[in-house]
Amino acid sequence: MSRRSSFRFGSLIAVYAALLLCSVGLLSARGKQSQPRPKSAPAQFDFRAAKTIGSKSAPILLEVFSDFQCPMCRVFFMTTTQQVIKDYVTTNKVYIIHHDFPLDMHAHSKEAARWANAAAEIGKFQEVETALYTTQDKWEATGNIGDVLSTVLSPAELKRVQTLMAKPEVQAAIDQDVELGKQRNINETPSIFVTHNGQMNQIPTRGASYGILKQYFDYLLRN
């Protein structure tokens, strides 16, 4: 083979190699582009935020650790909490957080808490909370919580809540509330905490009538 032929042959090989490398690069790039992007993990539902009422920017925070089967919790909810909502929550002065603290002495309180937290996930916590307290004497005697909640939940909602109750996240939300209560040395319900300007104070359970809280709230709002 002449030198000229050898040169041409070598040039053709070099061109072919370059084209081959280019093709491989394009295929590799296309392969990378065709790969689906990893999906971000779905955000976990915030149970605590769903068990609140009022504006988070309100100057006063009222936290209530409660047991749905506790008679005193029922009285506090119906005579004090409802009035606080009417006079202070609706005017953006108080922000209320419900914390679950079911006591072992009550046979159905843990199940009631699961119902309430599962209902929170579909935006029905307040309706279920009210129903649990107002019909406490009915379901605590029979344990048929679903029956009394059928008055505030549609059949589809009731079925969905029953399904959600089995989620480990529901029990975890209750456990987190209980753990927070233990950190604050709670041993009874309702246990009430008021925070204003970064300072938290526990209110004596037996002295937490609406009249007392009203005086306290008004004092805090003036200072």
Side-chain angles (χ1 to χ4, degrees):
M1 183 181 293
S2 66
R3 291 181 179 179
R4 182 177 296 178
S5 299
S6 177
F7 174 77
R8 289 178 179 175
F9 183 71
S11 299
L12 288 173
I13 291 176
V15 171
Y16 177 76
L19 289 173
L20 182 62
L21 288 172
C22 183
S23 298
V24 171
L26 288 172
L27 288 172
S28 177
R30 287 175 182 174
K32 290 180 180 179
Q33 290 177 356
S34 63
Q35 291 178 357
R37 294 181 179 179
K39 295 182 179 179
S40 58
Q44 289 189 340
F45 181 76
D46 190 343
F47 286 91
R48 185 163 296 174
K51 297 185 291 184
T52 67
I53 182 170
S55 172
K56 197 172 183 179
S57 61
I60 296 174
L61 169 63
L62 173 65
E63 296 177 89
V64 182
F65 288 79
S66 189
D67 176 330
F68 288 112
Q69 198 175 343
C70 164
M72 288 186 65
C73 294
R74 176 180 183 272
V75 171
F76 181 80
F77 177 81
M78 297 184 69
T79 63
T80 302
T81 303
Q82 294 299 298
Q83 197 64 38
V84 170
I85 292 172
K86 179 182 176 182
D87 295 342
Y88 291 91
V89 174
T90 58
T91 54
N92 297 325
K93 296 174 182 176
V94 172
Y95 179 57
I96 300 178
I97 298 179
H98 167 94
H99 295 296
D100 290 292
F101 202 81
L103 302 172
D104 292 335
M105 63 186 292
H106 294 140
H108 308 299
S109 61
K110 293 180 180 179
E111 182 184 357
R114 288 195 296 273
W115 274 100
N117 280 266
E121 196 163 354
I122 67 167
K124 291 287 185 177
F125 175 76
Q126 291 178 30
E127 292 86 348
V128 167
E129 178 185 37
T130 301
L132 286 172
Y133 281 127
T134 56
T135 63
Q136 186 187 87
D137 57 333
K138 294 181 181 180
W139 60 264
E140 73 170 348
T142 64
N144 294 327
I145 299 175
D147 289 348
V148 300
L149 296 186
S150 64
T151 61
V152 294
L153 298 175
S154 69
E157 290 172 336
L158 192 67
K159 185 176 180 180
R160 187 180 174 194
V161 169
Q162 285 177 311
T163 300
L164 291 171
M165 284 174 65
K167 290 179 58 176
E169 292 84 355
V170 168
Q171 184 59 51
I174 299 169
D175 293 341
Q176 288 174 6
D177 279 354
V178 171
E179 180 59 29
L180 178 62
K182 289 180 179 178
Q183 291 174 9
R184 297 188 188 180
N185 298 316
I186 289 175
N187 54 24
E188 63 179 355
T189 57
S191 285
I192 303 128
F193 294 83
V194 173
T195 301
H196 178 257
N197 286 338
Q199 183 175 354
M200 182 176 67
N201 291 296
Q202 184 172 4
I203 308 301
T205 300
R206 298 188 183 279
S209 65
Y210 175 70
I212 296 297
L213 281 183
K214 175 176 171 54
Q215 293 180 42
Y216 186 43
F217 289 159
D218 290 344
Y219 167 77
L220 293 176
L221 292 170
R222 289 193 303 266
N223 296 275

